[in-house]
Amino acid sequence: MPETAGAAAPLPGALPTPSSHPPSEQVSSAGGGTPRLALLDVLRGAAVLGTLMTNVWIFTGPGAEWGVLDGTTGSSLHGLLSGASLPEVVESVFRLLADGKFLAMLTMLFGVGLAIQFGSAAKRGQLWPGRYRWRALFLLAEGTLHFVLVFAWDVLMGYAVTALLVAWLLTRSERVRHRVMWTAAGLHVTVMSLLTLGAVTSDTDGGDGPSRRVVDLYADGGYLDQIAFRLHNAAVLRMEPVLSFALLVFLFLLGVRLHRAGAFAPDAAGRRIRTRLLGWGLGVGLPLNIATGLGGADCFLLGRYVAAPVVALGYIGLIGVITDRLRRTGPLTTGLTSVGRTALSCYVAQNVLCMLASYGIGLGLAARFRDAGPWWVIGLWAVVCLVLMAASHLWLRRFPHGPLESVQKRLLRR
């Protein structure tokens, strides 16, 4: 998310359109403000588009948003042990590479942004959290609208609540933050382990999938009916940020620590940290994730919420190491940078585009291609990514902020 307040909060100052600057270098903000770490824009862009690698299966699966609760959108590798076909292998690997990893990356980057904004307020002698509370409340309101009108598995509401707590923790001592961070991590792993143990020892098999009524709601139902369904089932559909709240706190604070350690700086120390993140994150995280994937649906929680965040650290290191070796930006890094600078707008836009493409209220592709295998789903993800990279780049050639980022700035301006 953007490095200022709010998940994908507006970015301070106008930046030049992405050009030949290597993404590992600092890019100064307009008006001589604090230099921005360009790598963060690339990472945010990758994280936003990476979350869609998971969410696209929700939009296109039977029962859409409700299908997650019936186990129809998991990323298990268990079936690969029994001679899976090529499409099944491709789908499983695609899901495994994405599920939970980019969401964890996005969460850590939100913590980075919070740390940057805290530092900026301190330099200006401003009271903290001060006006940041209004940014968090704006994010909560935006997330609520996003949940009701677009996508049940919105992350912004959970980010807003977590941000208020972590913003307060930034005023406490390093010892307090350290204790809260590792207490949250221990609590989270314990809860996920107990839930997994309950799933393994349970005699019940996986669900039969969403009911025909729910499948028909998203395939042929009206938009107002879908909204009413989300509202009626809000308590269930909003359980992810409740169950993972301790993880959110841990990842926010981890993002703060990474930023203050210089993990995103364009110097030798930053490059060393990124190399270590790459080695440890992928070296430890991938085997863990493969093991939980082979464990089947019963190990879903451990895979998505315990192993995946470790892999996310490796992804941050991998993207950082790659960008450190670039001599100039190409179309991909330019597109990722543009998406990263308009992260809130792109996060919402990608879900709107997938909703209109997949549900019956739009093109209805999910029902039309339900037997076409994973290829069209992966193609939809690729098309949406290309559209967002091109659109955000063209937008930033004329405007300094994304559409929703501009709305936030206007509403919070005093």
Side-chain angles (χ1 to χ4, degrees):
M1 282 302 179
E3 58 200 62
T4 55
L11 305 175
L15 288 177
T17 300
S19 59
S20 60
H21 288 286
S24 59
E25 293 183 357
Q26 289 184 341
V27 179
S28 297
S29 60
T34 302
R36 290 161 51 86
L37 299 174
L39 174 59
L40 289 178
D41 289 327
V42 176
L43 289 170
R44 276 196 305 269
V48 168
L49 299 183
T51 59
L52 186 60
M53 289 179 69
T54 299
N55 292 344
V56 70
W57 300 99
I58 299 176
F59 286 105
T60 58
E65 300 159 317
W66 195 256
V68 178
L69 303 175
D70 291 286
T72 59
T73 57
S75 58
S76 173
L77 294 178
H78 185 71
L80 300 185
L81 298 177
S82 56
S85 64
L86 176 61
E88 291 172 332
V89 171
V90 170
E91 178 178 342
S92 294
V93 173
F94 187 90
R95 292 188 181 201
L96 181 75
L97 292 174
D99 189 35
K101 287 79 172 174
F102 292 101
L103 180 60
M105 184 193 301
L106 202 61
T107 308
M108 282 185 272
L109 292 173
F110 197 113
V112 173
L114 199 51
I116 290 175
Q117 183 149 324
F118 173 79
S120 177
K123 288 181 180 179
R124 298 174 182 175
Q126 296 175 341
L127 184 66
W128 182 266
R131 295 178 59 187
Y132 181 78
R133 296 189 185 95
W134 292 105
R135 291 181 178 271
L137 291 175
F138 172 89
L139 189 68
L140 180 63
E142 199 284 330
T144 302
L145 288 175
H146 184 236
F147 163 77
V148 173
L149 302 178
V150 182
F151 189 46
W153 297 96
D154 165 81
V155 302
L156 303 179
M157 297 169 68
Y159 282 7
V161 175
T162 309
L164 287 172
L165 172 60
V166 176
W168 174 79
L169 285 172
L170 290 179
T171 65
R172 306 295 97 185
S173 67
E174 179 63 29
R175 176 179 295 183
V176 169
R177 287 193 297 273
H178 181 81
R179 288 178 176 175
V180 171
M181 176 177 164
W182 290 109
T183 299
L187 176 62
H188 172 72
V189 172
T190 300
V191 170
M192 293 298 110
S193 298
L194 291 175
L195 291 174
T196 300
L197 180 62
V200 171
T201 58
S202 173
D203 293 331
T204 59
D205 296 327
D208 297 326
S211 67
R212 172 53 57 183
R213 180 181 67 86
V214 177
V215 172
D216 290 342
L217 171 66
Y218 288 97
D220 303 306
Y223 181 52
L224 294 180
D225 293 330
Q226 293 175 12
I227 291 177
F229 181 79
R230 291 191 199 101
L231 292 174
H232 181 72
N233 297 281
V236 177
L237 292 170
R238 287 285 76 204
M239 69 179 181
E240 181 182 48
V242 176
L243 289 177
S244 63
F245 182 73
L247 176 63
L248 294 178
V249 173
F250 170 75
L251 292 176
F252 268 55
L253 291 172
L254 180 58
V256 172
R257 288 176 66 92
L258 287 173
H259 170 67
R260 292 182 173 178
F264 308 101
D267 54 19
R271 290 191 289 272
R272 284 194 298 271
I273 294 175
R274 292 190 283 276
T275 300
R276 288 199 293 269
L277 289 175
L278 169 60
W280 283 102
L282 297 188
V284 175
L286 282 181
L288 284 175
N289 215 237
I290 292 172
T292 56
L294 293 174
D298 289 341
C299 294
F300 170 76
L301 292 176
L302 287 180
R304 179 174 171 83
Y305 299 109
V306 177
V310 182
V311 180
L313 289 170
Y315 282 6
I316 289 175
L318 177 62
I319 295 172
V321 168
I322 292 174
T323 54
D324 286 338
R325 285 161 171 72
L326 295 178
R327 293 294 173 261
R328 58 184 295 114
T329 50
L332 179 59
T333 49
T334 296
L336 290 176
T337 298
S338 298
V339 171
R341 289 182 51 204
T342 57
L344 177 60
S345 298
C346 286
Y347 170 71
V348 173
Q350 68 186 18
N351 294 329
V352 172
L353 290 174
C354 284
M355 177 183 72
L356 295 177
S358 302
Y359 297 171
I361 59 175
L363 299 179
L365 298 183
R368 187 179 305 176
F369 297 133
R370 67 179 58 176
D371 299 320
W375 310 112
W376 84 270
V377 181
I378 297 173
L380 175 62
W381 168 76
V383 169
V384 172
C385 288
L386 290 174
V387 168
L388 291 178
M389 286 192 289
S392 59
H393 178 67
L394 293 174
W395 179 276
L396 290 173
R397 293 179 65 177
R398 184 167 183 179
F399 304 101
H401 310 288
L404 291 180
E405 288 82 357
S406 297
V407 171
Q408 185 190 58
K409 288 185 71 68
R410 286 176 179 266
L411 289 178
L412 298 180
R413 182 180 300 161
R414 291 184 179 180

